[in-house]
């Protein structure tokens, strides 16, 4: 049981790091006070990975987050796809 909790916490943290260090849609990774800026996206992504959702679902969620939730007018879909692949790789 404790091992499962540790695995879950590890996956959660790895998702968070990828979002901040590699996705970083609004460019906050160099501001320590913003280290948790993307935390609201971690749990939905965690659930997608646990549920073995396809790469396309993860990609579409990230695009939605950037364009609809954050309101960004330009989304680098190629970069976002690479991030989605990296996230998907956490559960493979």
């Amino acid at each position: 049981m404790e091992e499962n909790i540790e695995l879950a916490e590890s996956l959660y943290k790895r998702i968070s790091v990828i979002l901040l260090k590699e996705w970083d849609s609004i460019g906050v990774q160099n501001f320590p006070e913003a280290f948790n800026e993307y935390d609201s996206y971690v749990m939905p992504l965690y659930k997608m990975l646990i549920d073995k959702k396809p790469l396309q679902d993860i990609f579409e969620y990230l695009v939605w987050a950037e364009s609809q939730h954050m309101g960004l007018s330009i989304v680098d879909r190629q970069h976002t796809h690479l991030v989605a692949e990296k996230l998907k790789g956490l559960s493979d």
Side-chain angles (χ1 to χ4, degrees):
M1 175 88 164
E2 188 173 314
E3 183 177 312
N4 290 340
I5 293 171
E6 289 175 8
L7 289 172
E9 288 174 349
S10 174
L11 179 57
Y12 191 94
K13 182 169 176 66
R14 288 184 288 157
I15 294 167
S16 180
V17 168
I18 289 171
L19 294 181
L20 183 62
K21 299 294 182 184
E22 299 185 42
W23 185 47
D24 197 20
S25 296
I26 57 174
V28 298
Q29 70 175 302
N30 294 322
F31 299 97
E33 64 274 10
F35 78 96
N36 62 352
E37 182 66 31
Y38 304 121
D39 281 0
S40 64
Y41 306 109
V42 176
M43 187 52 73
L45 288 164
Y46 173 86
K47 182 154 177 34
M48 287 180 185
L49 295 176
I50 293 300
D51 292 344
K52 302 290 188 196
K53 295 293 183 182
L55 173 63
Q56 188 64 28
D57 288 6
I58 295 167
F59 171 70
E60 288 174 3
Y61 176 76
L62 292 174
V63 169
W64 169 84
E66 292 173 313
S67 62
Q68 302 300 310
H69 195 255
M70 293 179 196
L72 300 176
S73 57
I74 298 173
V75 174
D76 183 344
R77 295 176 73 85
Q78 183 176 5
H79 173 73
T80 301
H81 195 272
L82 291 172
V83 172
E85 288 175 336
K86 186 154 218 163
L87 288 166
K88 179 68 176 157
L90 294 174
S91 67
D92 290 342

